[in-house]
Amino acid sequence: ARSRGLTIAARPGGQIIAPADGRVVFAGDYRGYGKIVILDHGDGWTSLVTGLIGLSTSVGEIVDAGSPLGRAGANRPRIMVELRQDGR
């Protein structure tokens, strides 16, 4: 399968941050991806951050680029980031 985003090797337990300003529209467990955060950046742009083991944000929160979203896992953590426009 082809990845639709970037997979980043993270530091075990490392803090994962928002890639850009936005509003949190989803934060929680999702089908085998661990905990994920979905940010709405406006004008149809969203980003998904997957593979978190802990969350530092909640739905409805406004975050700035660089704001903490959660933590990476402890054993070979991989974080995936996807940028989408109008769901694609």
Side-chain angles (χ1 to χ4, degrees), residues 15-18 55-57 61 63-71:
Q15 181 172 278
I16 306 304
I17 60 172
L55 297 175
S56 302
T57 191
E61 190 172 338
V63 296
D64 296 322
S67 295
L69 297 178
R71 296 255 171 223

Side-chain angles (χ1 to χ4, degrees), residues 8-17 35 49-56 69-79:
I8 302 165
R11 176 178 291 138
Q15 181 172 278
I16 306 304
I17 60 172
K35 296 184 186 309
V49 180
T50 71
L52 304 168
I53 63 161
L55 297 175
S56 302
L69 297 178
R71 296 255 171 223
N75 186 17
R76 297 189 66 213
R78 299 287 183 261
I79 303 298

